[in-house]
Amino acid sequence: MKVLVPVKRVIDYNVKVRVNADGSGVDLANVKMSMNPFDEIAVEEAIRLKEAGKADEVVAVSIGVEKAQETLRTALAMGADRAILVVAADDVHTDIEPLAVAKILAKVVEEEQPGLVLAGKQAIDNDMNATGQMLSALLGWSQATFASELDIDGDTAKVTREVDGGLQTISVKMPTIVTVDLRLNEPRYASLPNIMKAKKKPLDKKTAADYGVDVTPRLTVVETKEPETRAAGIIVGSVDELVAKLKDAGAV
Amino acid sequence: MAVLLLAEVTNGELAMDATAKAVSASKSLGDVTVLCAGASAAAAGDAAAKIDGVAKVLVAEDDSLGHRLAEPTAALIAGLAGDYSHIVAPATTDAKNILPRVAALLDVMVISDVTAVVDGDTFERPIYAGNAIQVVKSSDATKVISFRTSTFDAAGEGGSASVETISAAENPGLSSWVEDKVAESDRPELTSAGVVVSGGRGVGSEEDFKIIEALADKLGAAVGASRAAVDSGFAPNDWQVGQTGKVVAPDLYIAVGISGAIQHLAGMKDSKIIVAINKDEEAPIFQVADFGLVADLFQAVPELTEKLG
């Protein structure tokens, strides 16, 4: 079985996001970029499936700017076998919408015929939480979102999902799309020898036009603004004072 | 304009708080029709009919809809979509599973976690874990939206909308339910609780989380946890508050032993009053707290529990 893992290049999760004063967006120039943390978990899971003999090839794919190939090299250094870069934007500030990403991925799936697509549940930049579900709809496949456990057995997969009330386990028909949540695994770090080896692994370059997909956004960003900040509070000196303040405020 | 609102129905029961908040978020978008889907959903439909501002309720009962599996529920909604300009739901894990699938079936974008409605096409939503707010205008014919319920007040009760029974879509048979593991608790539900007491890595162990729970029980509060506490195994994941967990906005939020990482603040900074108890006076949580107490939580929290009430 081949596993396809879409990965996204996003602002590193440790970087403090700065909103441009003119409302045009978030400043991404000269900011550290990394693989979306949820996608790292997806890559890790795919590699573990290969190590367990349940998958025979792991293909990473990224859709975005030319520089997303750095993100793909990370996936290759972790253990993916080859990569596909689909260049769909020139400017790092152009975010390709999940619907367009899903349409391109659907074409990649058609070509590659994977038995499983493993994706992050959301990207930490636009926080839309949509691509996996949309791809699943376009392909008419089953979907298992927010996975914290994955067990593939022949033509079905048993997936435990993180839901509001606790956990839900479902069984889905293969081929399927699984989007992964935080507790599925802990991704490995790429070792230096593997980083060197990754440079020699195959990376195909395509464009959105090669797949005939129109990536024109459906949502226009009118404005990007700072969230409202909270007024500074006070430091109390004791539990008694805290109780008194809470009573004054009518909070208890 | 007309709105189809997917109600949150779990095991035949309507989640009133989440659904009523989504109704109030939708009221400027047009007449609201609420869809209650489930293996049994009639009682949920009757409850939804009482929410103020609901024009009509559709009840779809079928075994395939019993556990909110995405494929049959999305197929049902996509089949109804022609009559509506907006398809909405509270931003629960169920809705986030289903709505993007609906949107793709309709060839439109989904707009997740909307926090404000500007007009029928224009919406505000947080990005980057709430570190920025984006205003987006949709050019799609049908808008598919999930509402972040913590920013909307629940619509009242007193309505009497008509209830109509509809049939389910054909089950594509792609997935089946195996089991639910739902944490049993007498405490209020985290996202709708008036008071939330949360513990972080500073609490130190699962055992010591009991002092957080004792304070919560004294206040009739829900218990929350930071991602660090969940990752350390001190608390279950469904207690997690933050970008990767639940977003809450209670009247009172007490953060204990939580440093205040951006990812946690994203989940609680809309709370009305925030209290922080932490021994590190430099902890960023104090920058958002209305009342901060620099103290050893193992002394301060039991003392607070004793002195409250």
Side-chain angles (χ1 to χ4, degrees):
Chain A
M1 182 181 70
K2 190 191 284 185
V3 184
L4 185 72
V5 189
V7 296
K8 187 175 186 184
R9 179 177 186 263
V10 298
I11 194 166
D12 187 86
Y13 76 102
N14 278 315
V15 172
K16 171 91 180 97
V17 169
R18 300 208 185 281
V19 177
N20 292 331
D22 63 1
S24 62
V26 163
D27 184 15
L28 296 177
N30 306 315
V31 171
K32 186 184 178 199
M33 305 292 278
S34 298
M35 190 190 298
N36 178 42
F38 291 102
D39 301 348
E40 276 186 334
I41 296 169
V43 173
E44 175 67 33
E45 193 67 16
I47 296 164
R48 289 188 192 186
L49 286 171
K50 191 181 170 192
E51 287 167 350
K54 293 195 168 181
D56 41 41
E57 191 183 27
V58 176
V59 181
V61 54
S62 192
I63 294 155
V65 294
E66 183 88 28
K67 276 198 162 176
Q69 62 177 286
E70 292 167 10
T71 312
L72 288 168
R73 292 288 173 203
T74 306
L76 294 170
M78 286 173 73
D81 297 296
R82 59 188 176 88
I84 303 166
L85 171 67
V86 183
V87 179
D90 299 326
D91 180 1
V92 64
H93 293 90
T94 309
D95 192 36
I96 308 299
E97 284 177 351
L99 180 62
V101 170
K103 286 180 177 180
I104 292 170
L105 288 175
K107 298 282 187 185
V108 175
V109 166
E110 232 168 70
E111 262 179 28
E112 294 285 337
Q113 298 287 316
L116 171 69
V117 178
L118 266 171
K121 76 162 180 178
Q122 73 189 71
I124 61 163
D125 50 5
N126 66 36
D127 285 333
M128 201 65 96
N129 190 335
T131 303
Q133 298 91 312
M134 291 187 135
L135 175 60
S136 173
L138 296 177
L139 295 170
W141 286 13
S142 60
Q143 71 182 53
T145 51
F146 326 144
S148 62
E149 267 180 69
L150 168 63
D151 183 13
I152 295 170
D153 186 13
D155 58 359
T156 60
K158 212 163 117 180
V159 182
T160 299
R161 309 175 52 236
E162 305 262 5
V163 295
D164 284 339
L167 298 170
Q168 180 190 51
T169 304
I170 60 172
S171 171
V172 291
K173 273 193 188 157
M174 303 289 280
T176 191
I177 291 166
V178 176
T179 78
V180 308
D181 217 320
L182 286 171
R183 293 197 302 172
L184 183 63
N185 62 48
E186 222 166 286
R188 71 194 67 191
Y189 290 102
S191 67
L192 191 58
N194 284 343
I195 291 169
M196 300 309 290
K197 264 191 255 171
K199 290 182 180 165
K200 296 203 181 80
K201 287 185 178 175
L203 189 153
D204 278 348
K205 224 188 274 183
K206 306 263 183 142
T207 65
D210 291 341
Y211 294 106
V213 174
D214 178 6
V215 297
T216 310
R218 307 294 184 85
L219 306 177
T220 315
V221 179
V222 179
E223 188 192 359
T224 304
K225 53 190 184 183
E226 291 269 4
E228 277 177 40
T229 50
R230 293 182 72 93
I234 56 162
I235 296 289
V236 296
S238 67
V239 169
D240 288 322
E241 196 186 339
L242 177 58
V243 171
K245 292 285 184 199
L246 288 176
K247 285 190 172 154
D248 284 352
V252 291
Chain B
M1 295 200 298
V3 181
L4 179 67
L5 189 156
L6 175 65
E8 183 76 1
V9 179
T10 309
N11 298 330
E13 206 177 307
L14 181 74
M16 181 55 93
D17 185 73
T19 306
K21 283 173 173 170
V23 169
S24 85
S26 312
K27 66 180 178 226
S28 65
L29 298 173
D31 282 345
V32 178
T33 298
V34 173
L35 170 63
C36 292
S40 71
D46 290 342
K50 296 195 178 79
I51 301 173
D52 283 336
V54 173
K56 189 175 167 186
V57 174
L58 301 177
V59 171
E61 290 189 328
D62 190 82
D63 283 347
S64 67
L65 302 169
H67 299 280
R68 305 286 297 259
L69 295 170
E71 302 90 347
T73 312
L76 168 67
I77 297 170
L80 297 169
D83 295 334
Y84 303 94
S85 57
H86 296 75
I87 295 170
V88 307
T92 59
T93 47
D94 279 343
K96 287 181 168 180
N97 187 32
I98 294 163
L99 287 187
R101 191 175 180 99
V102 172
L105 291 174
L106 301 175
D107 191 26
V108 302
M109 257 300 283
V110 68
I111 313 173
S112 309
D113 276 319
V114 164
T115 49
V117 175
V118 179
D119 60 40
D121 302 320
T122 316
F123 308 92
E124 281 189 22
R125 57 181 302 270
I127 55 172
Y128 291 99
N131 285 297
I133 305 294
Q134 202 170 56
V135 185
V136 292
K137 187 176 165 72
S138 168
S139 60
D140 283 321
T142 308
K143 279 78 178 167
V144 178
I145 299 165
S146 66
F147 288 113
R148 182 169 282 195
T149 50
S150 63
T151 51
F152 298 96
D153 293 326
E157 285 177 64
S160 57
S162 62
V163 180
E164 188 185 315
T165 305
I166 58 168
S167 40
E170 197 183 333
N171 183 5
L174 294 166
S175 58
S176 57
W177 173 80
V178 178
E179 64 170 342
D180 286 333
K181 278 187 193 152
V182 178
E184 289 295 330
S185 171
D186 295 333
R187 298 193 184 104
E189 202 266 314
L190 189 53
T191 53
S192 58
V195 182
V196 174
V197 182
S198 286
R201 185 159 28 208
V203 177
S205 70
E206 188 179 0
E207 184 64 30
D208 285 325
F209 235 80
K210 292 212 167 60
I211 68 169
I212 304 296
E213 297 179 53
L215 175 57
D217 290 340
K218 185 69 174 274
L219 291 166
V223 180
S226 70
R227 179 175 159 190
V230 172
D231 284 350
S232 304
F234 304 167
N237 189 57
D238 48 299
W239 288 5
Q240 191 191 141
V241 172
Q243 179 195 17
T244 51
K246 296 193 173 86
V247 178
V248 302
D251 295 329
L252 175 62
Y253 187 90
I254 303 181
V256 180
I258 291 176
S259 64
I262 292 167
Q263 107 88 24
H264 185 74
L265 301 183
M268 45 64 81
K269 65 186 169 53
D270 293 326
S271 305
K272 289 205 178 68
I273 295 177
I274 296 174
V275 172
I277 301 173
N278 200 303
K279 67 178 178 205
D280 174 14
E281 61 184 291
E282 302 290 325
I285 189 79
F286 288 120
Q287 289 164 20
V288 299
D290 298 281
F291 305 117
L293 177 63
V294 181
D296 179 0
L297 69 94
F298 297 101
Q299 286 166 9
V301 175
E303 189 185 341
L304 183 61
T305 306
E306 191 195 316
K307 287 180 174 166
L308 282 170

